[in-house]
Each structure stands twice: as C-alpha cells, then as structure tokens.
Amino acid sequence: MQANVMSTTVPIKRRTVLVGAAAAAAAAAPAHAAELAPVRRIVTGEGSDGRSTILFDGPPPQSFEMNGTTIMRLWETDTVPARLPIGEDKGAVAGNAYREGFAGTSFYIADIPGKDAGVAIPMHKEDSVDYMAVLAGEVTLVLDDQETVMRTGDVLVQGGNNHTWENRTDETCRLLVVVQRANRRTAG
C-alpha cells in the first residue's frame, strides 16, 4: 500500500509554504510503515493580524530510519518554556532530542516494524523524561529485570532509565513521543 501523496499549497499571511516535496519524501518511507495511515502534521499559530491560522499542514518534514525504526520528527522547542509566536517550521530543523546541550522539547513519531523485519534496538538510557503513547499496534518495553507489553492506547512516562523496545508481533507499532531533557540528581 503506497502512502497518499499530494502536493498542496497552504496560504500563510504574506507567504506560501509548499509541502509537495515533503509529501514525496513521505511516500519513500520504508515498506513496513505502509500498513499504517500516513501522518498529517498540522501546526497552528497567529498571523501578523493576531488571528489564529494554520501555519503548516502536510506530512512530517523529516523522516529517516534509525536501528530499523522509522522516525518522523514533528516539532521541537529550543527552550522550556517555549517561545511564542511560532514562526519558522521547527519540524523541518528539529535535531536529535538527545544531542549535547539541547534544553528544549522534541515531538516525534516512531514506527517500529514487526518481528520479521529483524529490528534490534540496543538497551539505552538518556537524561530525559519521555512521554509516550502507543497509537497503533503493540510493543514490549524491556527494562533491566522486567518487561511489559504496551498496546494501543497505553501511555508511558520513561524516567531516564535503561530500556529497549521489541516488537514481537507481525504489525508495525506506532509510538508518539515527547522528550523533555532532564538533569540527573547526584546522591548527596
């Protein structure tokens, strides 16, 4: 099943944003993601007149594969609290949420393919609090000495601990993730 690809023009006060190229890039997503509906990202804000408006509407501007998982970067903020008004497309320039010195938030989708894809995500931990929701499918959260199956509708607050993900089913699992960088307290 091929992703629905369309070229759209979204009017914005005094400028136009073309999302046709981003839509074409989304169509090139790995085959294992084809079973899920394409992602449509809508970003709203205020126009120069102060009225609410749709700023960006279309597929995620960034999609890539890491450890066999498709990552779609949707948005990031440089700081907490975030700065308003929204101007540039922060999804188009979003970087790795775990990069050195990053102090904002990151919003992305991760599509973890089914067991036949042979995906192996290494055990890892970061200094962050990650908020996650399973949008489709199921995935096993593996910790040092425990594991639990998360299914559609389940949510997780990941508190900077060792973990990995295993999709033991035949279907792709889609996770919605918000990362908030954190400072680890030291004993004493």
Side-chain angles (χ1 to χ4, degrees), residues 112 134 137-141 148-150 165-167 173 175:
I112 304 173
V134 180
E138 73 177 51
V139 67
T140 301
L141 168 65
T148 190
V149 175
M150 294 179 59
W165 304 98
E166 294 179 6
N167 186 343
C173 175
L175 295 174

Side-chain angles (χ1 to χ4, degrees), residues 3-100:
N4 182 13
V5 178
M6 61 183 187
S7 181
T8 0
T9 304
V10 180
I12 299 175
K13 307 295 179 192
R14 288 189 247 143
R15 62 184 171 147
T16 301
V17 175
L18 298 175
V19 295
H32 64 76
E35 66 202 51
L36 297 172
V39 174
R40 176 181 174 205
R41 182 192 67 139
I42 303 165
V43 179
T44 63
E46 293 180 344
S48 58
D49 60 0
R51 296 181 52 81
S52 59
T53 188
I54 295 173
L55 300 173
F56 308 103
D57 185 355
Q62 290 191 62
S63 180
F64 61 95
E65 198 167 298
M66 182 171 69
N67 296 321
T69 298
T70 301
I71 305 293
M72 291 170 266
R73 291 194 176 134
L74 304 172
W75 199 260
E76 79 173 20
T77 63
D78 300 349
T79 61
V80 175
R83 295 183 190 105
L84 292 175
I86 290 175
E88 71 176 309
D89 186 343
K90 294 289 191 171
V93 298
N96 185 327
Y98 307 106
R99 66 191 182 268
E100 186 69 32

